[in-house]
Amino acid sequence: MRDILTDLGEDPSREGLLDTPQRVAKAYQFLTQGYAQDPKAILQQALFAEAYDEMILVKDIEFYSLCEHHMLPFFGRAHVAYIPDGHIVGLSKIPRTVEVFARRLQVQERLTLQIRDAIDEVLQPLGAAVVIEAQHLCMMMRGVEKQSSRTTTSSMSGEFEKHRTRTEFMRLVQASS
């Protein structure tokens, strides 16, 4: 970090920058704490046998992540659904799972798949679906500089690959809160 400050033409020994390298290191440790967490273990902590077999949707899960290409933030909302097959998971575990994967250097496409795959593997539902809508500062602050652009990714498995179920999921995601 000191080298970067010097390359920018700054003086790393200047009062305001003296502790910047340590602050940046702490910030990146926090922003990438997902590497030290196991999302599957989080889901397994709160599995409950239940005969419910309709869609469960947790939507508008805020997340913040870092683009692995530029290490600039991207942020938005994740919408996660599954159809249980004998087991449900504590609702708070779904946003925690999103958070663990988001707190790693990421691309939005991989983030979407990782969330879906973890739910599929641990819950073994009849199907799972994830839609992520995000804004990327690497596109807003640099490069094409398009401040209003949003990127949407989705991944579906099982019952969500059927048109009717997918349509219901998308309708519920788009419904106003």
Side-chain angles (χ1 to χ4, degrees):
M1 192 66 235
R2 280 183 181 79
D3 289 344
I4 291 172
L5 290 170
T6 301
D7 289 348
L8 293 173
E10 280 289 353
D11 176 6
S13 63
R14 183 167 60 82
E15 181 182 9
L17 296 176
L18 206 52
D19 294 328
T20 296
Q22 294 87 344
R23 285 193 296 267
V24 170
K26 281 185 176 181
Y28 275 104
Q29 286 173 343
F30 177 79
L31 295 172
T32 60
Q33 66 187 328
Y35 288 112
Q37 299 170 320
D38 181 356
K40 293 173 187 166
I42 290 169
L43 289 167
Q44 290 166 341
Q45 289 173 357
L47 280 180
F48 305 101
E50 191 63 50
Y52 189 79
D53 64 356
E54 299 292 330
M55 186 185 311
I56 297 170
L57 168 64
V58 181
K59 70 181 205 173
D60 294 327
I61 302 167
E62 291 180 4
F63 75 89
Y64 301 87
S65 192
L66 290 174
C67 160
E68 70 180 31
H69 300 134
H70 304 98
M71 291 183 68
L72 288 172
F74 70 96
F75 59 93
R77 297 184 185 277
H79 314 288
V80 181
Y82 71 99
I83 300 172
D85 187 18
H87 290 90
I88 59 171
V89 68
L91 292 176
S92 71
K93 302 309 181 201
I94 293 173
R96 288 183 194 274
T97 300
V98 170
E99 184 75 7
V100 168
F101 287 121
R103 294 295 183 174
R104 299 174 180 186
L105 298 180
Q106 278 291 7
V107 294
Q108 183 174 332
E109 297 86 346
R110 183 184 324 117
L111 176 61
T112 305
L113 290 172
Q114 287 175 327
I115 296 164
R116 197 224 46 217
D117 288 348
I119 289 170
D120 272 341
E121 188 176 322
V122 175
L123 276 66
Q124 298 181 358
L126 297 174
V130 177
V131 168
I132 294 181
E133 303 167 301
Q135 294 177 276
H136 295 251
L137 291 186
C138 58
M139 283 180 41
M140 298 168 72
M141 293 177 65
R142 54 164 300 286
V144 296
E145 297 185 66
K146 299 301 175 202
Q147 284 71 37
S148 298
S149 66
R150 286 183 170 64
T151 301
T152 302
T153 52
S154 67
S155 183
M156 317 276 173
S157 68
E159 290 294 314
F160 287 94
E161 294 175 321
K162 295 179 180 174
H163 178 74
R164 190 170 146 243
T165 309
R166 180 185 295 251
T167 300
E168 178 185 358
F169 169 66
M170 296 306 290
R171 184 181 50 78
L172 289 171
V173 165
Q174 294 168 353
S176 297
S177 299

